[in-house]
Amino acid sequence: MKAWSWDRYGPPDVLTLKDVDEPDIARDEVLVGVRAASVNPYDWRHVRADPKLVRLGIGLRRPKPGLILGADLAGVVERVGDEVTGLHPGDEVFGEVRLGSFAETVAIPQNRLAVKPARLTFEQAASVSMAAHTALQGLRDAGRISAGQRVLVNGASGGIGTFAVQLAKTFGAEVTGVCSTRNVELVRSLGADDVVDYTREDFTEREGRYDLLMDIVGDRSLAELRRPLTSRGTLVIVGGIASARGGLLGPAAQVLRGALVSPFVSQRIVTVSWKPNSTDLRFLAELMEKEQIAPVIDRTYPFAEIPEALRYIERGHARGKVAITL
């Protein structure tokens, strides 16, 4: 099969489309023929090993041999392991792997898959998993969101942000989104009650106070992010697409600062990490079937142009998600 791999760290140009063996499946795994994927900042950070902390998991000097890029996918079940229940060859599914979705087939544990909503295309379904999962777990689990709260999403027009705005509304919150001028109408169309154009207004200086603030951008200090919160408000740190490049910790630096400060202030400062699981995927699928949330796709690239898709998303201005079609 064809798959995108890399044998040294660097820009997207280091990616190579290779012929590799089709993966075997374990007893609890499913072999999925990939019909679509999507690109995340997670991908280019692995290719560049930026931050350097990434190297601890995939290779200190060079990437480990045989690594295949990509996390999100949607496709058709081709084979199932002996312990797999509820999924059969021919089923249309979507889900996520740690690495490996930028390939024609992928072996994936059943507990990272869910049946694709019938109303979604493969490209739409492949644009859900990592971004929507992170938004859901950030709001519900880390943020403990509840109906009636005032919630602010900094980075509301990106992959995670577009889902965060929609999900916060389904939880009954009053939502403010922060984005650039060109994305104001997009964020408003997702259900935001208020939209802050950061080119014209500093959301950290607003007189209103928020019960929960989800920071996806990572371009403000903790002191600035705490300012618009109530005295008992919650700051959810997602990671930070705008964090400085070339360092040891990258987005993890803000997470570490938050953990150090949190015990000494009245506000909660928490972080969210992406935890793939089929239970949440099924929950998201149900919301999409009910048309309560939907993926926003900025651009779609063919499988052969994945390096170009990475270059585009690395610039940091994608509206929603960037999909890949096979």
Side-chain angles (χ1 to χ4, degrees):
M1 68 173 187
K2 298 287 187 182
W4 284 97
S5 186
W6 72 115
D7 57 12
R8 65 187 190 279
Y9 297 120
D13 294 340
V14 303
L15 284 171
T16 304
L17 186 58
K18 296 182 177 180
D19 287 306
V20 300
D21 292 335
E22 187 176 272
D24 295 324
I25 56 171
R27 297 174 66 87
D28 64 342
E29 288 185 330
V30 176
L31 185 70
V32 177
V34 180
R35 299 293 178 83
S38 69
V39 182
N40 297 281
Y42 176 89
D43 300 312
W44 67 256
R45 287 193 178 279
H46 274 74
V47 173
R48 289 189 180 271
D50 188 350
K52 293 181 174 62
L53 189 65
V54 168
R55 294 173 182 255
L56 293 180
I58 62 173
L60 293 178
R61 298 187 64 184
R62 287 179 173 270
K64 296 174 183 177
L67 291 181
I68 297 171
L69 197 63
D72 292 338
L73 68 122
V76 178
V77 174
E78 296 188 358
R79 294 202 312 272
V80 299
D82 295 341
E83 296 177 0
V84 172
T85 59
L87 290 177
H88 307 90
D91 287 347
E92 296 181 352
V93 294
F94 75 111
E96 53 212 302
V97 290
R98 292 292 179 182
L99 288 169
S101 70
F102 293 172
E104 291 179 323
T105 60
V106 61
I108 178 171
Q110 180 181 8
N111 61 10
R112 293 186 181 181
L113 286 172
V115 174
K116 179 180 79 67
R119 61 183 301 272
L120 264 61
T121 66
F122 284 111
E123 288 76 18
Q124 288 173 317
S127 300
V128 173
S129 301
M130 180 180 281
H133 237 151
T134 303
L136 174 64
Q137 292 168 358
L139 292 169
R140 182 195 62 194
D141 303 337
R144 303 174 189 171
I145 191 173
S146 61
Q149 285 188 325
R150 300 188 71 230
V151 174
L152 184 141
V153 178
N154 183 30
S157 62
I160 297 171
T162 50
F163 281 112
V165 170
Q166 296 175 83
L167 285 166
K169 291 300 296 181
T170 69
F171 285 115
E174 178 186 327
V175 182
T176 296
V178 181
C179 61
S180 64
T181 306
R182 77 185 187 102
N183 294 321
V184 167
E185 291 307 316
L186 167 64
V187 173
R188 187 171 285 120
S189 74
L190 297 174
D193 300 283
D194 188 18
V195 182
V196 178
D197 178 351
Y198 67 74
T199 68
R200 301 181 179 181
E201 181 183 1
D202 185 348
F203 74 89
T204 69
E205 299 290 347
R206 294 196 120 196
E207 293 185 2
R209 289 292 179 263
Y210 297 92
D211 303 293
L212 191 158
L213 192 159
M214 174 177 276
D215 180 45
I216 304 165
V217 181
D219 62 345
R220 311 304 290 264
S221 69
L222 287 179
E224 289 174 316
L225 292 171
R226 289 177 51 222
R227 193 180 298 145
L229 283 172
T230 64
S231 61
R232 296 289 177 179
T234 298
L235 170 61
V236 178
I237 301 171
V238 173
I241 58 174
S243 60
R245 298 189 182 186
L248 176 63
L249 299 177
Q254 184 80 312
V255 172
L256 180 59
R257 286 190 289 268
L260 293 173
V261 170
S262 186
F264 303 101
V265 297
S266 61
Q267 296 152 330
R268 291 180 66 240
I269 303 176
V270 295
T271 186
V272 57
S273 58
W274 166 56
K275 299 174 182 176
N277 68 86
S278 57
T279 301
D280 283 349
L281 288 175
R282 288 192 293 268
F283 175 75
L284 293 166
E286 183 178 350
L287 292 179
M288 289 185 287
E289 287 283 18
K290 295 178 179 177
E291 300 187 36
Q292 292 182 284
I293 66 170
V296 175
I297 297 180
D298 183 343
R299 298 185 182 186
T300 300
Y301 289 83
F303 183 67
E305 295 180 11
I306 280 180
E308 182 58 36
L310 260 67
R311 278 190 287 270
Y312 177 66
I313 200 169
E314 193 174 0
R315 297 178 197 132
H317 299 296
R319 294 156 54 97
K321 293 284 296 181
V322 173
I324 304 296
T325 184
L326 275 73

